């Protein structure tokens, strides 16, 4: 039992380590996976946020779940505590759906069975062991299953669904209306209740205004209003007369027309929000309390709240004004009465905050602990006015921002800024004198002090020391915010994003701007723009240096995403800031990009030239790169001049995506000039230097494209053979798998054989036969390799490779080729009898020509005469002159007949063929051999000896070589 448990643990570890986050995307939440071990079965539950669309099948030892959408699964609970009857789960993208779906392969005992059903949005899968499966399933049926919203038909067992066969897929697909958010209306004696069937957590705002009930949720869904409309039509909707959904980008907003005076209450059960409408007035279950606080720009109103949602700006059609609505996730939190101020009103609500701006320039900033409402000039509220209007006590200090670089620069104490060195020394002294209880606080202040001054390595070291002494601090929101800023300063943007993207920080408007900066540095520009949009309300909190930084970053991301209007607005803001030095030149560079996108090449060139003069080498290199691209694209400089500029630039900046861009552009210039080695070397350098960068895959794809162009499309044919071979060997790792790679190798082999580099050709094919091929394909290519060994006068190697690749069953044409090659090798080794035995069951002209060569080499004159006669056949009846191969056969036959002293046959041969060979090669030899007076003594041996050394009689070599020529061969 222990051995089996160890095996299960081992398999789970092997499978889940590489597959746990196969489909993890930056913005995708993982589906929670739960487990349950029951006496009769093992249960795994997938907690989807929405009802999934899936199919399930079983084949052998695996149960396959196919989902129509991409999902990420968190298998950590299974990896830590595996199930008895589920051996492993493998997750991968569904290639049949172009990667948009997900497949889970669940490894089980082949004899096991299973059942599945939906419980709400959760998919439940039970796996029963093989022993007595039917009895065990019957026992399991008696156990209570989790509550499900599905019908019994949807929950029936697999055996019942499949009947006697396991071949047809079992599937569950929600009705088309499942894309709509369910909304139900229930009426009782006290009033009515609206239930919004959310299947994931969301924030909500609910309020009455001008006879209309508003319900707003921070997620965008179309709502199924059919139940409400049906109740209205049946007169069963109480005070509710109609319902409509409003357009609200990123939110779900509905209005309900109500009759009479009503009261509201809001509660959340699980993920479902319930709004109860009753007669008479009511108040929120837990009222929010506005508080006056002293802010950096004057008085602000702060409303403390948990689970603060996003901010929606909407126009109320009944009144015509614009409201700002902030939904909350903590249910029953609203304002019982109207709170009126000079600059804005806080409207009554059953849930959430509803702000009616009265003056322009209102600043609404969300924090994790509540919402701050202020103005650039400070709110026009006196202490007495505030107390009178809101009936709330004054007090508290302004809520602190999690990231406040200006405050951090001052250290832990209030007061004016001190000299950096003096302040640092004082804080270090404080640290040395601090007792154990206060040391953590001093270290925390020192870490933020370093971060505020841009001393990020020192800040990181101090944070690491804090984490070593108190590991729990890493779970706090303050820690994540500060470490995100420090990691960003250390140019580790992906790690910074991980720290900053804690969902509990979403309510901090300021954090969205830092997220935007991190996403920009990570070159995830679409995310940067989205994060910036969510954090724009916090721009008013920041000083000029930070604003310059964020506007530069967003302008860059907007240009990358072709959001030119946004980029233009950011650049205008930067120009209005009156920047100088490198920042001003950075704005010039961005303006040049914007001008180039609009086709204003002259302006773009001028701005790039300005930016190229920057003392900031990174900016200067970017500008010079863009300038070279622009001028080459416009034809203002030659390709050689562009290449020379890029060669200089490759050493101007090292170590980030900019260097990769320079190398990639340079490689493309080399490719255009057909300097393939330089192009490949440059791309190889970039790919190795940035192996962890996502774009390195594109570099590898470019290298593969160049390699294919060389050795598949024939570009290498223009190169000297040895240079082409050197390129292939130096970048052989680019040889693609499958048939394309095989064709590439064979094409190069043809080229090498055609220039007599047969030894190198043999090396290539030997590797292909040994490592890349199998079956009949291997046997066929081995025959071609055998021919190359024969061309290289290595017949023993031919026999070796033929023996090594012998197959029990082969196609007839492949078997014939291998037989001929093996027989030729035996002949070359003077093993004539073995060669002839091998050819006994092989027919055809090629086999007869090989037999003739064997008879000639072994001086079997009678057999040579007979086979030559068969090869020539009735050729004498054709009046056309004999071709050279036919003349060779004829001379061999005449010599054989002469050695046999067959005068009658020689006379017949002369009468038939003399007219066809009277002119051209071998005419005189034929006359001598077939002369009626006979061939003089000693002449036959001399003629045979001379003809034996003539290359033409090595015709098989010429034929083999012709097979490997790129123009006419059929070897492959």
């Amino acid at each position: 039992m222990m051995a089996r448990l160890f095996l299960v643990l081992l398999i789970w570890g092997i499978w889940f380590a590489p597959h746990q986050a196969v489909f993890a995307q930056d913005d995708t939440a993982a589906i929670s996976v739960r487990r349950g071990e029951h006496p009769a079965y093992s249960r795994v539950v997938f907690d989807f946020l929405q009802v999934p669309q899936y199919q399930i099948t079983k084949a052998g030892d695996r149960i396959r779940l196919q989902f129509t959408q991409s999902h990420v699964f968190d298998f950590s609970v299974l990896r830590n505590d595996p199930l008895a009857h589920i051996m492993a789960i493998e997750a991968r993208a569904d290639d049949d759906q172009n990667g948009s779906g997900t497949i889970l392969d669940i490894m089980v005992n082949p004899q096991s069975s299973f059942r599945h059903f939906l419980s709400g949005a959760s998919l439940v899968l039970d796996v029963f062991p093989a022993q007595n499966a039917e009895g065990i399933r019957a026992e399991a049926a008696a156990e209570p299953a989790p509550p499900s919203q599905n019908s019994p038909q949807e929950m029936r067992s697999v055996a019942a669904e499949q009947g006697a066969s396991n071949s047809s897929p079992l599937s569950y697909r929600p009705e088309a209306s499942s894309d709509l958010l369910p909304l139900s209306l229930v009426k009782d004696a006290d009033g009515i209740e609206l239930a919004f069937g959310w299947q994931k957590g969301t924030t909500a705002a609910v309020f009455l205004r001008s006879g209309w009930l508003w319900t707003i949720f921070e997620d965008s869904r179309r709502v199924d209003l059919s139940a409400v409309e049906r109740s209205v039509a049946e007169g069963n909707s109480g005070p509710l007369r109609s319902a409509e959904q409003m357009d609200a980008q990123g939110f779900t907003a509905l209005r309900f027309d109500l009759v009479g005076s009503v009261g509201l209450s809001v509660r959340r059960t699980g993920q479902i929000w319930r709004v109860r409408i009753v007669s008479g007035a009511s108040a929120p279950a837990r009222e929010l309390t506005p508080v006056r606080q002293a802010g950096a720009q004057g008085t602000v109103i702060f409303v403390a709240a948990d689970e603060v949602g996003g901010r929606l700006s909407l126009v109320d059609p009944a009144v015509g004004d614009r409201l700002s609505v902030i939904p909350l996730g903590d249910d029953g939190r609203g304002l019982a009465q109207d709170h009126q101020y000079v600059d804005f009103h806080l409207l009554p609500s059953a849930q959430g905050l509803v702000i009616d701006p009265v003056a322009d320039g209102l600043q609404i900033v969300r924090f994790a602990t509540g919402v701050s409402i202020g103005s650039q000039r400070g709110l026009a509220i006196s202490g007495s006015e505030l107390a009178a209007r809101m009936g709330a006590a004054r007090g508290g200090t302004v809520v602190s921002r999690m990231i406040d670089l200006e405050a951090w620069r001052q250290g832990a104490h209030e007061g004016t800024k001190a000299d950096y060195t003096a302040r640092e020394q004082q804080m270090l002294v404080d640290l040395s004198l601090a007792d154990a209880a206060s040391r953590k606080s001093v270290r925390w202040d020192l870490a933020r002090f370093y971060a505020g001054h841009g001393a990020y390595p020192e800040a990181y070291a101090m944070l690491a020391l804090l984490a070593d002494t108190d590991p729990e601090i890493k779970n706090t929101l303050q820690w994540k915010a500060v470490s995100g800023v420090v990691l960003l300063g250390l140019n580790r943007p992906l790690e910074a994003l991980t720290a900053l993207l804690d969902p509990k920080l979403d309510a901090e408007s300021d954090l969205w701007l830092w997220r935007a900066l991190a996403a920009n540095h990570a070159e995830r520009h679409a995310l940067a723009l989205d994060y910036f949009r969510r954090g724009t309300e916090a721009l008013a909190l920041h000083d000029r240096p930070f604003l310059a930084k964020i506007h530069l970053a967003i302008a860059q991301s907007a240009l990358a995403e072709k959001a030119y209007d946004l980029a233009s607005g950011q650049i205008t803001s930067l120009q209005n800031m009156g920047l100088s030095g490198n920042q001003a030149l950075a704005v010039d560079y961005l303006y040049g990009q914007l001008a180039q996108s609009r086709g204003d090449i002259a302006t773009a060139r001028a701005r790039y030239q300005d930016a190229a003069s920057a003392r900031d080498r990174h900016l200067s290199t970017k500008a010079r790169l863009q300038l070279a691209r622009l001028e080459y694209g416009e034809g203002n400089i030659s390709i050689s001049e562009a290449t020379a500029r890029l060669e200089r630039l490759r050493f101007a900046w090292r170590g980030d995506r900019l260097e990769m861009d320079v190398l990639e552009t340079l490689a493309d210039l080399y490719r255009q000039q057909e300097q393939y080695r330089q192009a490949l070397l440059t791309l190889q350098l970039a790919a190795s230097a940035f192996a962890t960068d996502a774009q390195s895959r594109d570099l590898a794809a470019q290298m593969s494209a160049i390699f294919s162009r060389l050795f598949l499309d024939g570009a290498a044919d223009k190169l000297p053979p040895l240079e082409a071979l050197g390129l292939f060997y130096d970048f052989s790792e680019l040889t693609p798998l499958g048939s394309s790679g095989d064709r590439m190798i064979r094409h190069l082999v043809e080229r090498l054989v055609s220039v007599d580099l047969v030894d190198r050709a043999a090396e290539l094919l030997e590797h292909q036969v040994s490592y890349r091929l199998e079956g009949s394909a291997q046997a066929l290519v081995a025959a071609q390799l055998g021919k190359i060994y024969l061309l290289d006068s290595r017949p023993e190697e031919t026999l070796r490779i033929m023996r090594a690749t012998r197959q029990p069953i082969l196609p007839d044409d492949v078997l014939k080729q291998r037989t001929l090659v093996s027989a030729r090798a035996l002949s070359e080794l003077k093993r004539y009898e073995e060669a002839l035995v091998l050819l006994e069951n092989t027919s055809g002209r090629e086999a007869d020509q090989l037999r003739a060569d064997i008879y000639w080499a072994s001086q079997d004159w009678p057999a040579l005469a007979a086979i030559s006669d068969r090869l020539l056949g009735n050729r004498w009846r054709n009046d056309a002159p004999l071709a050279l191969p036919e003349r060779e056969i004829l001379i061999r036959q005449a010599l054989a007949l002469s050695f046999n002293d067959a005068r009658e046959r020689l006379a017949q041969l002369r009468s038939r063929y003399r007219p066809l060979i009277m002119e051209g090669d071998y005419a005189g030899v034929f006359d001598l051999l077939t002369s009626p007076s006979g061939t003089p003594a000693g002449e036959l041996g001399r003629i045979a000896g001379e003809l034996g050394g003539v290359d033409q009689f090595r015709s098989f070599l010429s034929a083999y070589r012709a097979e490997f020529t790129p123009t006419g061969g059929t070897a492959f």
Side-chain angles (χ1 to χ4, degrees), residues 605 732 783:
R605 183 186 298 110
S732 58

Side-chain angles (χ1 to χ4, degrees), residues 786 789-790 792-804 821-822 824-826 828-829 831:
Y789 282 137
L790 289 173
D792 201 25
S793 300
R794 296 158 65 186
E796 67 285 348
E797 288 297 306
T798 298
L799 294 178
R800 177 190 63 79
I801 199 64
M802 301 306 286
R803 285 193 297 270
V821 171
S822 297
R824 176 67 70 184
L826 290 169
E828 290 295 296
L829 292 170
R831 294 160 61 178

